[in-house]
Amino acid sequence: MRLRTSPWWWALGIILGLRLASMAWLPLAGTSEPRYAEVARLMAVTGDWITPWFTPDLPFWGKPPLSFWTEALAFRLLGVTEFAARLPSWLATLGSMGLLFVYARTHFGGRIAKGALLIYATCALVYITSGAVITDPFLALATTWAMVALAMAAKEPRPVWRYGFYVALAVGLLAKGPLMLVLVAGPMLPLVILYPSIRTAFKQLPWLGGLTLMLLLSVPWYLLAEIKTPGFLNYFLVGEHFLRFVDSGWAGDLYGVAHKRMKGAIWGEALVASFPWGLVALALLLRALFKPMQRSALWQTRRDPDRMYLLAWTLFTPAFFSLSGNILWTYVLPALAPFSVLLALALAPTLSSTVAKRVLAAVTGVVPLVFAVYLVLGVVDPLRLKTEKHLVAYATQHMQAGDKLLYLNEIPFSATFYSRGQAGSITLKELTGQAGHPPTLFLALPKNDLANVSKILNQPLRPLFESREFVLTEVAGRAASP
C-alpha cells in the first residue's frame, strides 16, 4: 500500500519551509532586526545572561531577556549568523501553531484545526515575524499557550494544562513583561462573569501552587536585573508599561523614537497584520450584517461559550491598544491565533463548493508568494535592502592591520552587528580636528554628503562601495577613534 500525504501537509510544509530557508538567505535589514541581534550577540560574547546590553556601555532595559537568551544560545550553538538569530522566532511560531492545532481540534474538530493553521501561518504579520529577530513571537507563544491551557484544562484537567497555564504566564513575563498578564486577564474578565462553565474552569485552577510556580520562574530575573543595573525596574515598569502607552510623544525612550499614532489606529494595523484574511473576515462580517438570517445566526453565537472565548481573545488586544497613541503593528500578533480559528469556523460552510475551495487556496498563497518575490529580489539585488552587510564585508576584505571602519555621525545597527562591534562612528568635527599619518580610515557616509565632506577635508574622496544609504570612501592622513 502506498502512503499518501495530505495536500494540507504539503501546503503547510512548503509555507513553513520557504520561511525557514529565507532566514539564511536574507541579511539583517532595517532597524529592529540588527538591533536585537546585536543585543543577543553581546550576550553570547560577554556571557552576561542577566542584563541585555544595547551597547557594551548601555544596558538594554526595554525588553526582558527571553528572546535574547534563545538567540544568544543559538549563536553559541550555530555561530553568529542570520539563520541562528532568526531560528528562535520560527520555533516560537511553530510552538504557537502546535498549541493552536491541539485546541482547535479538541473543541471544533480536525477540519477546523487544519483550516485555522493555514490561515494563521499565512497572515502577513505571522509570516513576517516567524523569521525575524523580534520579541513578539515569544509573547504570542505565551498568550496562545495560556489561553489554550485554560480552555484545555476545562476539558482535560491534566497537570500539563492546569500548571501549563502558569508556566505560560511566566514565559510571557520573561518575554514581554507585565503586559502578558493584561492580555490574558483582559479577555477572561467578561467571560468569567457571563459564562458559568468558564467561571467553573477558572475557579478549578491550582491558584496557590500555580501562582507560586509563576513567581518562582519569573521574579528572580527581575530582582537580579535591578540589582545589577539599578533603575531598571522604574524604567521598565513605569516607562515601558505606562508612559509609552498613555503619552504618544513619550520622550523617555532610551533606545529609539516614539511611534506616535492616532488613538484607535490599531484597528487599521490589525487589518494589515491579518492580510489577506482580514479582508476575507471583513467581507463575511458585512455580508452577515446585511442578511437577516445570517445576522440572526451571528447573534446566536453569544450562547456558545467556546466561540465567545475566541471572540473575547481576538478583540481584547486591539481594543486595549485603541487607547494608546504609541503603537506598532506587531502589537496585534497575540490576537491572530484566535482570529484564525474564528475565520476557519466562518468559512467551513463554504468549503462544499469547489469554486470556494479554489479561491481560498489562492488566498492562502498570497503572502508566501509575495514574500517569495521579495526574497528573490533581495538575493539578486541586495542593495534594495536597508543593510550594511555588504559594505562592511567589502571594507573588512580591504582593511589591513590598524585600519578602521567608521560611519559619519551615527553607525547603523546592521553595521555594528556585521562588523562584530568593530566599526565605530565619528563626527565631522572629530574628523577634521585630527591630523597625522595613521593607518587608512575607511569612512562610510550618507551618499548625498560625499561631495560636501570631500570639500571640507580638502581632498578627493573616491567612492569604493555603496549600500542603499551609504557610500564607502577612504580618507588619507587623518586620525580617528570610534
Side-chain angles (χ1 to χ4, degrees):
M1 182 183 295
R2 297 178 61 184
L3 295 176
R4 294 183 59 190
T5 303
S6 166
W8 178 83
W9 284 112
W10 279 110
L12 189 62
I14 291 171
I15 290 167
L16 295 176
L18 174 63
R19 195 65 183 100
L20 184 67
S22 71
M23 293 174 353
W25 292 340
L26 289 174
L28 301 181
T31 301
S32 295
E33 271 207 301
R35 175 174 63 176
Y36 291 140
E38 177 61 10
V39 171
R41 189 193 69 83
L42 286 174
M43 180 175 283
V45 169
T46 63
D48 184 349
W49 299 92
I50 296 176
T51 301
W53 291 87
F54 194 65
T55 69
D57 302 314
L58 178 64
F60 185 57
W61 288 345
K63 298 287 188 296
L66 181 61
S67 63
F68 304 123
W69 284 344
T70 61
E71 291 151 12
L73 182 60
F75 285 152
R76 290 279 186 96
L77 295 175
L78 303 175
V80 181
T81 64
E82 296 96 338
F83 181 82
R86 290 163 169 156
L87 182 61
S89 290
W90 189 84
L91 294 175
T93 303
L94 210 61
S96 296
M97 292 174 66
L99 290 162
L100 185 64
F101 184 80
V102 170
Y103 165 79
R105 184 179 60 184
T106 301
H107 287 76
F108 305 106
R111 189 184 184 195
I112 298 300
K114 290 180 179 180
L117 219 54
L118 278 180
I119 292 170
Y120 184 69
T122 53
C123 284
L125 182 57
V126 175
Y127 202 70
I128 291 170
T129 58
S130 67
V133 189
I134 197 168
T135 60
D136 297 273
F138 296 89
L139 176 63
L141 171 62
T143 54
T144 303
W145 187 356
M147 297 300 287
V148 166
L150 185 58
M152 291 297 295
K155 284 187 175 290
E156 302 175 10
R158 294 181 292 161
V160 67
W161 298 120
R162 287 161 54 79
Y163 286 94
F165 173 74
Y166 300 97
V167 174
L169 294 180
V171 169
L173 288 170
L174 292 173
K176 206 75 170 182
L179 175 65
M180 169 65 184
L181 303 180
V182 175
L183 295 183
V184 172
M188 289 309 305
L189 182 60
L191 293 170
V192 167
I193 294 173
L194 297 174
Y195 296 94
S197 60
I198 296 177
R199 183 162 60 248
T200 300
F202 202 67
K203 288 180 178 179
Q204 290 176 348
L205 287 173
W207 284 102
L208 181 60
L211 288 175
T212 300
L213 177 62
M214 180 194 78
L215 295 174
L216 287 174
L217 290 174
S218 59
V219 170
W221 174 78
Y222 282 86
L223 297 178
L224 290 172
E226 175 65 21
I227 291 170
K228 186 165 186 180
T229 55
F232 158 71
L233 287 178
N234 180 67
Y235 177 86
F236 183 67
L237 297 179
V238 179
E240 288 284 343
H241 281 78
F242 180 71
L243 296 178
R244 172 180 290 279
F245 299 110
V246 300
D247 182 0
S248 60
W250 181 46
D253 194 333
L254 298 176
Y255 314 104
V257 296
H259 306 279
K260 189 173 183 178
R261 301 292 302 279
M262 178 180 66
K263 286 181 171 60
I266 193 69
W267 294 99
E269 300 289 4
L271 199 59
V272 176
S274 60
F275 178 84
W277 297 107
L279 297 176
V280 175
L282 185 60
L284 290 175
L285 179 61
L286 291 175
R287 187 179 70 173
L289 291 176
F290 286 101
K291 290 190 175 183
M293 290 186 63
Q294 292 189 12
R295 186 166 62 245
S296 176
L298 186 65
W299 176 246
Q300 291 302 317
T301 59
R302 76 189 192 282
R303 301 180 184 277
D304 185 345
D306 290 335
R307 297 193 185 215
M308 293 306 296
Y309 188 85
L310 288 168
L311 187 62
W313 180 5
T314 300
L315 295 180
F316 179 78
T317 296
F320 174 73
F321 286 114
S322 294
L323 304 176
S324 174
N326 188 359
I327 60 169
L328 294 168
W329 77 315
T330 52
Y331 292 177
V332 180
L333 190 58
L336 294 182
F339 162 80
S340 301
V341 182
L342 280 174
L343 184 56
L345 288 166
L347 290 172
T350 68
L351 295 182
S352 58
S353 165
T354 302
V355 174
K357 287 181 180 179
R358 290 175 179 174
V359 170
L360 292 176
V363 174
T364 301
V366 169
V367 167
L369 181 60
V370 171
F371 187 83
V373 172
Y374 173 78
L375 174 61
V376 171
L377 292 176
V379 172
V380 172
D381 185 9
L383 292 184
R384 290 174 177 269
L385 305 177
K386 188 180 177 182
T387 180
E388 297 304 295
K389 176 180 180 177
H390 307 289
L391 186 149
V392 170
Y394 179 92
T396 302
Q397 183 180 358
H398 292 81
M399 288 168 63
Q400 299 180 6
D403 291 349
K404 298 176 180 178
L405 169 61
L406 299 179
Y407 278 74
L408 187 63
N409 296 326
E410 187 175 358
I411 180 171
F413 291 108
S414 60
T416 303
F417 176 79
Y418 282 112
S419 69
R420 304 297 185 259
Q422 296 305 304
S425 62
I426 188 171
T427 65
L428 192 58
K429 182 177 180 181
E430 292 170 331
L431 188 62
T432 57
Q434 302 183 39
H437 301 281
T440 301
L441 165 61
F442 286 92
L443 179 67
L445 63 159
K447 292 180 179 180
N448 295 334
D449 292 349
L450 182 63
N452 184 50
V453 173
S454 176
K455 182 178 179 180
I456 292 174
L457 295 181
N458 195 28
Q459 63 173 281
L461 297 179
R462 180 171 59 93
L464 303 175
F465 190 91
E466 291 187 6
S467 65
R468 175 173 158 176
E469 297 182 304
F470 295 88
V471 58
L472 180 69
T473 187
E474 182 179 329
V475 178
R478 298 283 174 183
S481 56

